[in-house]
Amino acid sequence: MKGIITEIERFSLRDGPGIRTTVFFKGCNMACQWCHNPETLQIKPQLMTYPQHCLGCGACVACCPSGARSVKEGNLHYDRSLCTGCGSCAQSCFTGALVMSGREMTVEEVMEEIRQDRAYYENSGGGVTLSGGELTTQPDFAYALLEALKAEGISTALETNMYAPWHVYERLLPLVDLMMFDIKVFDSQIHKKWTGVDNQRILENAKKVAESGKDYLVRTPVIPGVNDTEEEIGSIAAYVGSLGGAQYYELLLFNPLGESKYQALQAVNQFEGSRPSAAETADRLKKAAEERSGLPVRVG
């Protein structure tokens, strides 16, 4: 069995307790307009272009089987509509001007990378986190990888948007030690405006995770102009508190580091130029979340 993975990040300290390895799955079932990993939204491999690194050697043109890369008026040209994502051009590019996002990997290939840091997991109370994109877009591969991890005694965590059908999570939960999930916006119509889907399934799944007794925590990305008000964060926090049993509630300040990725994908970035909330605003939101949830609140 193979899955499509965008990255395997070692020595992560932000994706669960201890030192972790985070496996980023490609593909997502939502379309958050602020996504800072836009290369993970489509499940198929994609070419990312960084023309500032290009030397104009033309090797990519010579090896492109679909005609997506060409020379026009003495300049290299790329037609993404013709690109099949075969990766030939990226393999020929030694400067980093062309990079493929997403590669097929077997469970064993992923495990080979994970095992390298096993001692760090054991000494720090860490483990492996499956993230994305959205891992539930590849549920069979996620299940197989979790099985392999548990067979070797490695602690597991999921980072998910909670939008998959419940039966997907119900199958994965016995193999998971910690669930980390988002509630991005509380109002369903506003949620749909910014993410492409309403949040009814998300809220229902959140309740079921809480009822399962599984360790979990809830996060909200704080997005300028979307949910960065005390009223909105307070509404989400009150719901999180009503679930019962969350380890803590976390506010994740807007991450602007995805801007270069949008450029590399020739994609529209609705939040270009946006920056994280100021410290004073973050403090107010944290206080509102603490008051409404009754939980410890972290800001990251």
Side-chain angles (χ1 to χ4, degrees), residues 12-13 58 71 86 89 104 111-113 149 154 167 169 173 183 201 211 221 223 234 236 239 262 273-274 278 288:
S12 172
L13 300 175
V71 177
C86 70
C89 60
E104 285 192 343
M111 289 298 296
E112 286 177 4
E113 295 200 34
L149 290 165
I154 297 173
H167 69 81
Y169 295 109
L173 272 176
I183 298 179
R201 175 184 288 174
E211 291 172 345
I223 310 303
I236 299 171
Y239 184 78
Y262 282 92
S274 297

Side-chain angles (χ1 to χ4, degrees), residues 48-57 69 76 93-99 257-266:
M48 302 180 75
T49 64
Y50 298 91
Q52 66 272 27
H53 300 312
C54 180
L55 298 179
C57 70
R69 302 200 67 81
L76 288 172
C93 182
F94 63 89
T95 67
L98 302 175
V99 178
L257 298 180
E259 288 190 1
S260 63
K261 297 179 181 181
Y262 282 92
Q263 294 166 5
L265 292 167
Q266 291 81 53

